[in-house]
Amino acid sequence: MAEPAAARLTVDLDALAYNHAVLCAEAASAEVAPVLKSDGYGLGAGPVARRLWAEGARSFFVARLAEGEALRAALAPARPATIYVLDGMTDGAAPRLDAAGLTPVLCSLQQIAAAATHAADIGRPLPVALNIDTGMCRQGLTPDETRAVVLAIDRLRGLDVRLVMSHLGSAAEIGNPRNVSQLSRFLEVRSLFPKARASLAASAGLFLGADYRFDLVRPGISLFGGGPLEQPDARLRAVATLTAPILDIRNLRPGDILGYGESVRVDAATRVAVVVAGYTDGVIRAAKGAGYAWFAGARRRLLIVNMDILVIEIGDAEADVGQPVELLGANAQLDDLAAAGGTVAHEILVRLSRRAERIYLGKAQ
Ligand SMILES: *Cc1c(COP(=O)(O)O)cnc(C)c1O
């Protein structure tokens, strides 16, 4: 294959399948339900979902209604699956949820009321999930609201509660007491719904042990190779690889000031490569300094990241114009780039641009 003249994003569906198998083994008897919000963490919900379906996944989560509709279209008609929409029963969503066969994750008393009204309108039980806030204070019914709803039988009339779920706020920190507190609140609430399945864990929670797994786990980032503990995890493979070719090689002299402003002053002779990628392509600007790229078998410090160009230090490595530099992948690790930029792997992935040429490796189905 000829080296591309610009940034290239490779999405390795075989690596995705590999990670899925690792997570299934960890999940033991719990179902692994991939979370494919934000277009499958920026990597293409369609091909990602089709491959995961081929690997056995039958339940998926998205955030927005429109993401659910797009996912249904990408799977239909040959691949039946339950698709949960985390935004739930938003205003005017009911007919679209019905049309696409999506299951709303109800997260407030108002949504429960809207769903019950809709169930009465259509005259049949409406499958729903319930999101319970067990201590993340972001989304979901409080345990008290949940108890009140269950006691007032008519408020759930017409609703077929299939899944009761909650989300952990500190699961990446094993031993954080917040995990135990959320778990015990979840156990209380789920006992109110003996017939529903239960789900508490995302990527990080899945690795907190059997107590946290319940019937269904909801990994997102770990499917794509992000470490569940927000650091590189050798059990998982990189799914996204971003490479870009060298545009020029330059020698900087002591006293030179590199790029905009004066943040990079050169104090010793330095050989650098100018690379055809920038923050447009998803290499976040904040990663300069602490972040690195991978070239000629070693980590190379990111000196500056501009919109379309970045500069790395290459020392005395053999280098030629046109050679590819790995900006993200098996060697330039996702979690390291996130840490260098003061963010999480999730944000790095969803910011990978549409500008980079995109290639899928491995079968989508
Ligand atoms: C995003 C999300 C997940 C997946 O989280 P990861 O950290 O990517 O595994 C699971 N559950 C809910 C409710 C989410 O919003």
Side-chain angles (χ1 to χ4, degrees):
M1 211 180 322
E3 293 302 342
R8 168 182 281 177
L9 175 65
T10 306
V11 179
D12 185 345
L13 297 174
D14 291 335
L16 174 77
Y18 177 91
N19 294 341
H20 179 257
V22 170
L23 300 179
C24 286
E26 188 70 28
S29 61
E31 178 185 358
V32 171
V35 178
L36 301 184
K37 56 197 182 190
S38 194
D39 193 27
Y41 287 49
L43 300 182
V48 162
R50 286 192 289 269
R51 179 57 183 265
L52 290 170
W53 197 93
E55 299 297 319
R58 293 294 180 272
S59 303
F60 298 92
F61 286 82
V62 294
R64 303 279 109 87
L65 172 59
E67 292 173 353
E69 291 171 324
L71 185 56
R72 178 63 77 204
L75 290 172
R79 302 175 194 83
T82 303
I83 300 175
Y84 294 98
V85 177
L86 291 165
D87 285 352
M89 183 66 75
T90 42
D91 233 16
R96 289 170 61 188
L97 289 163
D98 283 350
L102 307 173
T103 307
V105 180
L106 307 178
C107 60
S108 67
L109 294 174
Q110 197 181 342
Q111 287 202 353
I112 288 180
T117 302
H118 182 60
D121 286 349
I122 59 175
R124 60 176 166 79
L126 187 71
V128 298
L130 285 189
N131 194 353
I132 313 296
D133 171 19
T134 54
M136 197 174 170
C137 306
R138 184 183 74 167
Q139 206 177 7
L141 300 166
T142 65
D144 284 345
E145 286 173 333
T146 314
R147 269 180 224 105
V149 159
V150 172
L151 286 176
I153 297 288
D154 59 320
R155 288 170 85 174
L156 290 174
R157 184 170 293 152
L159 302 186
D160 174 11
V161 180
R162 299 265 177 98
L163 179 76
V164 176
M165 59 165 271
S166 186
H167 196 41
L168 296 167
S170 298
E173 295 163 48
I174 297 168
N176 188 319
R178 192 178 181 198
N179 297 327
V180 182
S181 137
Q182 287 199 259
L183 174 62
S184 74
R185 281 187 208 164
F186 188 64
L187 284 166
E188 279 173 38
V189 173
R190 77 149 310 194
S191 68
L192 301 170
F193 300 89
K195 286 191 231 139
R197 298 170 81 207
S199 175
L200 180 60
S203 294
L206 170 53
F207 289 86
L208 286 178
D211 291 350
Y212 289 81
R213 293 197 296 255
F214 295 92
D215 303 306
L216 180 150
V217 294
R218 311 182 309 269
I221 194 70
S222 53
L223 282 165
F224 303 106
L229 303 183
E230 295 175 9
Q231 49 195 337
D233 188 321
R235 290 170 293 192
L236 302 169
R237 287 173 54 187
V239 171
T241 300
L242 183 69
T243 59
I246 294 176
L247 181 69
D248 196 10
I249 294 160
R250 307 173 62 103
N251 290 298
L252 304 184
R253 291 163 309 181
D256 284 349
I257 302 170
L258 176 62
Y260 296 109
E262 301 193 11
S263 62
V264 187
R265 284 172 171 275
V266 178
D267 44 45
T270 308
R271 196 155 149 270
V272 302
V274 180
V275 179
V276 184
Y279 53 77
T280 306
D281 305 285
V283 182
I284 54 173
R285 187 171 175 276
K288 70 178 179 192
Y292 65 88
W294 182 265
F295 178 72
R299 292 179 176 190
R300 311 290 174 177
R301 199 151 68 95
L302 281 173
L303 295 177
I304 58 170
V305 180
N306 294 156
M307 190 181 288
D308 308 300
I309 288 284
L310 58 83
V311 175
I312 59 173
E313 204 168 25
I314 56 169
D316 53 10
E318 253 184 57
D320 256 325
V321 168
Q323 275 186 310
V325 172
E326 181 189 310
L327 300 164
L328 182 68
N331 304 296
Q333 300 209 41
L334 175 60
D335 292 287
D336 288 338
L337 183 62
T343 184
V344 289
H346 309 59
E347 187 177 2
I348 301 287
L349 287 187
V350 300
R351 287 184 188 284
L352 289 174
S353 76
R354 305 288 181 259
R355 180 167 76 176
E357 177 196 5
R358 191 181 280 228
I359 290 179
Y360 287 88
L361 296 181
K363 281 211 168 74
Q365 47 208 309

